[in-house]
Amino acid sequence: MIEGGRHVEKGAEIIDHVLFADTGSEKPTTYLYLELFGRWLEDRGVPLTVVRYQPQRYKNYPPYRTLDENCFTNGTLPSIAFGFSSCSQKWKIAPQNKWTESWKPALDIWEAGGKVTKLIGYDCSPADMRRYAEREGYTDDRYHYRYPLREWGWKRADCEERIRQAGLPVPPKSACWMCTATKPHELHNSGDYPPSLLRRIVLMEARAAPRLRTTEGLWRKAVKGTNGATPKPGSMTQYIREQKLLPTSEIDHIINSAPEALMAWQDWASGVPLEERSDMKEWLAFFDLTSGDQLETAGRRFYQDLDVGHRRADDCVDINNIDGEEQLSLIPSADMFEHGACHAL
């Protein structure tokens, strides 16, 4: 549509704007592709805007900015793990609608009694056929929904071929790294799932475990593999353990220590005025640094620059002299938060 839109005199349509709703928890390769495709759009005069959900109320919690930080804060899993779709509504649909509500072309159309046309990329492949079936016939006072790929009868292979014709690489599947729709083989892709994200999966399931009743983990329920289905446990952590994607000692340490430490840090944050609280991302960055392959220069500086206690030398951590086993012990225990977060770190 974009490449045909240059020929307006022939009745072609023009795309006015492209939106990408960023949950903050997309796979690393998706962010790389977003940058590439943004340049492709820019070269063709089509603006791209990245929109994000902006949380407003944190109660006594540390501020969070992403879908995974939201889950860590509340000690739960994404709603899709419980069979719902509120995460898509909250983090994808709502921020796009909010942006459009301040977009002048849309305001002009609504004032004139018209509707804004939204183009949605469901194709004719089986998975998207099911997604479309849930939306078919949906009406809205402000929007008209169109599905161009379905109008053209395109399946996934047709989409991939057209992308190649445009001189672009075929993008990876766009999804949050902790999505229930993740296939087992995807966890073996180190580009999308480096050790740092596998560790966060373990932490997320461990943090949510006390509240789970019928859901086993991010994959909900175990699949036996009958009728052509791929066998998998209900817990991604169990799969990571079985496939040795992380060392068993590291998995056990995260499960046994990290949730308690995280909750202790949250309790400490509840007594700090909101404007002075650290974001959830800061604790997670600290958590990432406890893995042996994450101790880079920035990580060393992070520890050494901390305002620990009264800046006594013996309070500081010399990461240069820490071996692999000791790195795991850098996750602070709950009782270390008695004198504040910086002291614990």
Side-chain angles (χ1 to χ4, degrees):
M1 292 181 75
I2 287 174
E3 297 191 332
R6 299 173 182 176
H7 306 289
V8 181
E9 69 280 359
K10 297 181 181 179
E13 299 174 288
I14 291 181
I15 291 180
D16 298 296
H17 214 100
V18 172
L19 297 180
F20 177 79
D22 179 16
T23 65
S25 306
E26 304 287 340
K27 298 175 183 176
T29 49
T30 296
Y31 289 114
L32 292 173
Y33 199 88
L34 176 63
E35 182 179 348
L36 172 67
F37 192 61
R39 292 197 299 269
W40 188 90
L41 291 171
E42 183 180 10
D43 290 343
R44 287 153 182 79
V46 179
L48 166 68
T49 296
V50 177
V51 297
R52 297 177 178 86
Y53 168 69
Q54 300 293 334
Q56 300 297 322
R57 298 183 181 88
Y58 301 106
K59 298 180 181 178
N60 293 325
Y61 293 126
Y64 60 85
R65 316 291 178 185
T66 67
L67 176 51
D68 66 294
E69 290 174 13
N70 190 176
C71 293
F72 286 123
T73 296
N74 296 332
T76 188
L77 305 176
S79 66
I80 189 174
F82 303 102
F84 304 109
S85 59
S86 60
C87 53
S88 179
Q89 175 64 41
K90 177 178 178 178
W91 292 89
K92 287 287 189 181
I93 299 174
Q96 292 186 64
N97 288 344
K98 183 176 181 179
W99 180 90
T100 309
E101 288 167 0
S102 61
W103 185 46
K104 190 176 186 308
L107 297 176
D108 292 341
I109 290 174
W110 289 332
E111 186 175 355
K115 292 186 177 184
V116 172
T117 298
K118 280 191 176 184
L119 306 177
I120 300 176
Y122 291 169
D123 59 36
C124 296
S125 299
D128 275 6
M129 290 286 283
R130 292 191 293 270
R131 296 168 69 190
Y132 174 74
E134 297 176 359
R135 299 282 298 178
E136 188 176 12
Y138 181 78
T139 59
D140 191 293
D141 293 337
R142 298 185 300 173
Y143 298 103
H144 170 58
Y145 298 95
R146 281 186 56 195
Y147 304 84
L149 302 177
R150 295 184 54 77
E151 294 173 10
W152 305 334
W154 285 14
K155 294 184 178 180
R156 191 58 51 92
D158 300 303
C159 300
E160 293 175 353
E161 177 57 29
R162 185 63 186 87
I163 290 169
R164 295 188 188 97
Q165 290 177 16
L168 292 165
V170 176
K173 183 178 75 172
S174 175
C176 292
W177 51 263
M178 66 287 189
C179 183
T180 297
T182 301
K183 302 289 190 269
H185 69 85
E186 294 180 57
L187 295 182
H188 294 263
N189 180 353
S190 59
D192 280 330
Y193 289 95
S196 58
L197 285 187
L198 295 177
R199 296 177 80 250
R200 287 201 183 193
I201 286 174
V202 175
L203 173 61
M204 182 171 290
E205 290 190 331
R207 173 79 171 90
R211 296 185 177 185
L212 301 183
R213 296 295 179 266
T214 59
T215 296
E216 298 173 21
L218 287 167
W219 277 332
R220 298 188 65 188
K221 299 284 187 179
V223 176
K224 295 182 179 180
T226 57
N227 300 321
T230 302
K232 62 182 180 183
S235 162
M236 287 189 188
T237 297
Q238 183 177 338
Y239 183 85
I240 291 170
R241 185 189 295 274
E242 292 172 352
Q243 297 296 313
K244 297 180 171 54
L245 300 181
L246 286 176
T248 298
S249 60
E250 188 163 7
I251 294 172
D252 291 341
H253 186 81
I254 292 172
I255 293 173
N256 296 330
S257 303
E260 182 182 6
L262 174 54
M263 288 185 287
W265 180 75
Q266 288 182 264
D267 288 342
W268 170 82
S270 66
V272 177
L274 178 59
E275 63 275 9
E276 298 177 16
R277 286 181 213 159
S278 298
D279 285 7
M280 174 61 71
K281 68 178 181 181
E282 296 184 27
W283 191 92
L284 291 172
F286 163 75
F287 171 76
D288 290 342
L289 289 169
T290 62
S291 176
D293 63 345
Q294 296 295 313
L295 292 173
E296 301 174 352
T297 303
R300 297 188 182 98
R301 188 162 56 247
F302 175 84
Y303 281 95
Q304 293 168 348
D305 289 349
L306 282 173
D307 182 14
V308 284
H310 298 289
R311 291 191 178 275
R312 294 191 311 238
D314 56 356
D315 282 338
C316 297
V317 179
D318 183 3
I319 292 183
N320 293 297
N321 297 320
I322 296 179
D323 61 30
E325 288 300 316
E326 289 176 318
Q327 285 165 9
L328 295 177
S329 69
L330 286 174
I331 299 176
S333 60
D335 58 2
M336 294 181 69
F337 282 90
E338 178 181 354
H339 303 293
C342 287
H343 179 82
L345 296 178

